[in-house]
Amino acid sequence: MPLESFKRVRVCLCDRLILHNNPPGWNWRSQIPDYHNLWIALSGPGKMWINSNAIPFATGTAILLYPGDEVYAERHDASGMRNIGLHFTFTETAKSKKQIEAFRQRSTQLRRLSLIHEMARYLSEIPVSQNEEASDWATKIFLVFARDWLLGPEDPRDQIIRAQVERIKERPYECLPTEELAQEAGLSLSQYRRRFAKLTQTQPRTFSILQRLETAKRLLLESTLNIDQIAQALGFRDTPFFSRQFKQKTGTSPSDFRARSRSN
């Protein structure tokens, strides 16, 4: 089934509560109302039962839920749960209605989770009055999901690396050694670096540093922590090294970045 089959599909967004942060001990039970729900796990692992059929999920798992579906889901541990819930109705042609049924009760592991997450963040900030723009973005998210679904299962090792990428973004201060990440993915160091670069267009160590520097920018703008404290919190071995890395990547020192941003 080619992606062109869905080019005419358009969705109409029903709800602006897109990003969900749920408390520890999360579980969810629902009968889906008269709309579809594109449900995407931003954390995991866990399991979902749709009309009594069990489907495991992990970070990046996406499932299209249909009106009337009986759903129960829970995490395998006592942690909280983060997910995207895109509630919408289709305004599709009669021809595409049959094609959309193909998604029923078959999950997919998103190759472009970071892209969809950013799109969902943007969508959640669109004013309620701008429903046309919101529906445009919801349609784009659905088409990214459809493309990944059509590509079929991904290599399990790449799935592990994508989950690691999300973990590094969420917790950049952990500074996990590349050797440890490679072992977790079941790959040699050279194989891991090659696969990581293919998925992210950069090497693991560089990616980790860039994520820490992005967090450093936010802390410089939003917190009262001094530069020594920021360097220590993000796992840099010392403040001079942090300052050199920051200037190399941004063109300015941390102190100049903070002063210039605050003056602006």
Side-chain angles (χ1 to χ4, degrees), residues 7 25 65 75 78 85 127 133 135 171 179 202 210 222 229:
K7 289 298 186 182
L65 304 174
R75 281 204 61 168
E133 182 183 359
S135 292
R171 303 193 292 272
E179 293 81 2
T202 188
L210 290 174
E222 299 174 2
Q229 290 170 324

Side-chain angles (χ1 to χ4, degrees), residues 85-104:
L86 199 66
H87 303 161
F88 60 85
T89 56
F90 283 106
T91 57
E92 73 280 354
T93 64
K95 179 182 177 182
S96 63
K97 283 183 180 180
K98 187 174 181 180
Q99 294 164 337
I100 289 166
E101 284 295 310
F103 294 110
R104 187 180 287 275

Side-chain angles (χ1 to χ4, degrees), residues 14-59:
C14 301
D15 189 352
R16 292 301 175 83
L17 185 59
I18 309 297
L19 297 166
H20 302 264
N21 292 296
N22 302 295
W26 173 86
N27 63 73
W28 175 52
R29 186 182 298 276
S30 175
Q31 178 174 14
I32 306 301
D34 56 349
Y35 52 67
H36 288 77
N37 180 0
L38 179 56
W39 189 91
I40 301 169
L42 296 175
S43 58
K47 187 173 284 188
M48 177 177 287
W49 289 262
I50 307 173
N51 305 322
S52 300
N53 296 311
I55 299 176
F57 67 79
T59 301

